[in-house]
Each structure stands twice: as C-alpha cells, then as structure tokens.
Amino acid sequence: MRAANSEYLLAALRNIIKAKGLTYKELAERLGVPLSTFKRHLYSPNITLEKLLDYCQEVGTTLDELQKLAIKLQHDNDSFFSQTQDEIFYQFPQLYDFYRELRHLRQQDSYTYMRKKYGLNKSSTYGYLRALEMLGLVKLAEDNKIQLVGPFYYRFSENSKLSQKYKTILKEQALDNPDCVRVGFSRMYLTEAQLGELNQLLAKEILKYHSENMQNSETEADLLRNVLLFVTQHQPLVFSEGIGSLPHSFLQDVKAAIDRCEAPGT
C-alpha cells in the first residue's frame, strides 16, 4: 500500500471528525490545547506523527484506518488540480500557459524548446520550472532534465477559478469571431431533462464525426474546431499576455502565495 501525502491524512482526519459529529472546540477542550492551535494542526503538513496519533486516538480511529481513507481521497483527487495549484495558476497565468505547453512536449528537449521559442534566459526558464516544482507538478534533475509529475490531463474542480476563466476566454473567442457559425432558436419550450438529452446527443454526434475524421487521417490543423453550441475556427487559448521574462521576485512571490493558500483557515 502506498503512503498518502500528509495533506490527505489531515483531510481524512477532518472527514472522520465531521462524520462522527464532533466539533473542533469539543476536541480541543478534551485534548487541553487552544482551539486555534488545534485548527492549525489540522491543516499543517508538518504535523508530527506523535501528534497525529494523539488526535486519531481522541476521535476513535487508528492510523491504519486514517491511511486507508487518505489514500482513497488522494486517488479520487489525483486528476484534479489542488486548490493551491488552481489559485497559483490563477494568480500567475503565464506560469499556467508555460505548464500547459510543457505537458505536450513529451519526447522532446522541452527545456531547450521553451527557451528558444520564447527567447527566455536561463534565469527565467529556471524560474518557471522551479515554481512548477514547488507546486509538485515537475521534478528537476541535472542537465536540465524535466520529469513531469501526475496524470497527462488534469481536470478542474467544481469551484476552480481556472475553469471559470477558461470558459470566459473560450466564449469571448467564439462570440468575437465574425465567421462563427451559429444555430439559434427563440421561444422554445424545453425542460431541463430535454436540455440534458440535447447535450448528450450533440456530444455523441461530435465525437462520432471526430473519430471518423481521425480514422480517415483528416487531421489538418485548419480543421480543429471549438464547439459550444456554435462552431468557430480553433484559436490557441492562452491565459496570460504571453510567456516572457520573469521579474527577479517571481519565485519569492510564488512561494508567498503558496504559503497564503496553505495557511490554516484559508
């Protein structure tokens, strides 16, 4: 059995506390610690094993049970950006654009490719990569070797700021396109169930055409389309004004933002 990350062990502990109908105030009093300290421990990845065992005993669970629940939580969330990753990418959109392109450069010398394409110096290139390493998304090795961490595709969580921004940009691209092909109806009486069926029908037909074209090798770049109940010519979707040189304070700014995200109560 693989070990769960500390953040998921703590998330599992919080879930157990909630499931048993316990309150943080009640537990803090029983443990004889200030409520603020107890809350901080429940969100601190640096919590000691001894302290974690004390809390497990107080809520009536074992470390083994906590580990099993933590692994399940981690498995369920492995394909999603964490709240911290989502927030940092939202605050530093050029970092997200860099990461999105980096993930699609497998089997290539991605370090050299990104430097040449965007005219980056060594300092800025390292800044992007080190920030991604701080977020747990890449591992840096000698000779500028880059190992990607996690699944090939990440998903946005339900309350993701990146997801909202993605939808906004995509809609703006589509609606601002003068050659956009639209299908419009007015004053149609449709139930929610019928709208759901239409969504499924549209998705099924689009995927069918896409598969047929892939099989027929009709994969020219000018055939790429975005489909949002209307069809537009594909445009590269970017979240920032461009991947460029970074300020000297970039890594410090990212670290400070990560610390704010992971602070108790945030």
Side-chain angles (χ1 to χ4, degrees):
M1 179 185 295
R2 65 170 180 164
N5 293 338
S6 59
E7 64 178 296
Y8 288 102
L9 286 170
L10 292 170
L13 181 60
R14 296 194 299 271
N15 283 1
I16 291 173
I17 291 172
K18 182 178 180 180
K20 294 193 173 187
L22 301 169
T23 66
Y24 292 171
K25 182 179 180 181
E26 174 188 355
L27 289 169
E29 290 175 352
R30 281 160 44 178
L31 289 161
V33 298
L35 177 59
S36 59
T37 300
F38 181 64
K39 287 182 177 179
R40 185 174 71 253
H41 287 170
L42 289 179
Y43 287 89
S44 173
N46 298 318
I47 188 171
T48 64
L49 179 59
E50 180 182 6
K51 187 66 67 177
L52 190 61
L53 287 170
D54 288 343
Y55 292 168
C56 284
Q57 182 176 359
E58 196 61 43
V59 301
T61 190
T62 66
L63 187 61
D64 184 57
E65 291 172 342
L66 191 71
Q67 173 86 342
K68 290 178 181 178
L69 177 56
I71 289 174
K72 182 181 184 303
L73 290 174
Q74 186 167 336
H75 178 269
D76 292 344
N77 287 277
D78 269 350
S79 61
F80 288 90
F81 282 125
S82 69
Q83 183 177 355
T84 296
Q85 291 166 342
D86 189 87
E87 179 63 32
I88 298 305
F89 280 144
Y90 184 79
Q91 291 186 37
F92 303 92
Q94 73 275 36
L95 179 62
Y96 184 53
D97 285 339
F98 186 97
Y99 176 67
R100 289 172 71 238
E101 184 159 358
L102 193 69
R103 290 207 68 86
H104 290 85
L105 297 179
R106 299 186 179 222
Q107 311 303 324
Q108 295 190 47
D109 181 353
S110 50
Y111 177 88
T112 302
Y113 177 91
M114 296 299 284
R115 276 202 66 190
K116 288 184 176 180
K117 180 174 181 179
Y118 295 102
L120 302 174
N121 58 28
K122 291 183 179 179
S123 176
S124 288
T125 308
Y126 174 78
Y128 282 111
L129 294 172
R130 176 63 185 125
L132 293 174
E133 187 175 48
M134 290 162 60
L135 290 171
L137 295 169
V138 304
K139 288 184 179 179
L140 305 181
E142 296 180 356
D143 301 325
N144 299 320
K145 299 296 183 182
I146 303 166
Q147 178 184 347
L148 297 173
V149 178
F152 184 71
Y153 289 109
Y154 274 98
R155 294 182 289 165
F156 297 127
S157 62
E158 183 178 352
N159 299 318
S160 166
K161 291 183 179 180
L162 278 179
S163 179
Q164 294 301 318
K165 187 169 184 177
Y166 176 88
K167 294 174 184 176
T168 299
I169 295 172
L170 204 56
K171 288 178 181 178
E172 288 175 351
Q173 282 189 358
L175 295 175
D176 291 344
N177 189 325
D179 299 322
C180 175
V181 179
R182 296 176 176 86
V183 178
F185 294 90
S186 177
R187 297 175 62 83
M188 298 290 107
Y189 293 105
L190 297 170
T191 67
E192 288 299 321
Q194 290 166 340
L195 288 173
E197 291 177 5
L198 284 173
N199 284 337
Q200 292 180 12
L201 179 63
L202 178 63
K204 181 180 178 181
E205 290 300 307
I206 290 172
L207 289 172
K208 182 185 73 173
Y209 292 140
H210 172 75
S211 298
E212 289 176 355
N213 291 334
M214 290 284 288
Q215 291 175 359
N216 296 330
S217 298
E218 295 182 24
T219 55
E220 296 84 357
D222 61 356
L223 292 181
L224 287 172
R225 300 287 190 268
N226 302 313
V227 181
L228 294 170
L229 292 180
F230 41 77
V231 183
T232 71
Q233 186 72 24
H234 169 75
Q235 301 176 52
L237 191 149
V238 294
F239 284 68
S240 68
E241 295 180 357
I243 298 171
S245 298
L246 297 174
H248 294 301
S249 63
F250 178 74
L251 286 178
Q252 293 178 340
D253 295 340
V254 170
K255 184 180 184 306
I258 291 175
D259 291 341
R260 287 193 297 270
C261 290
E262 297 180 347
T266 59

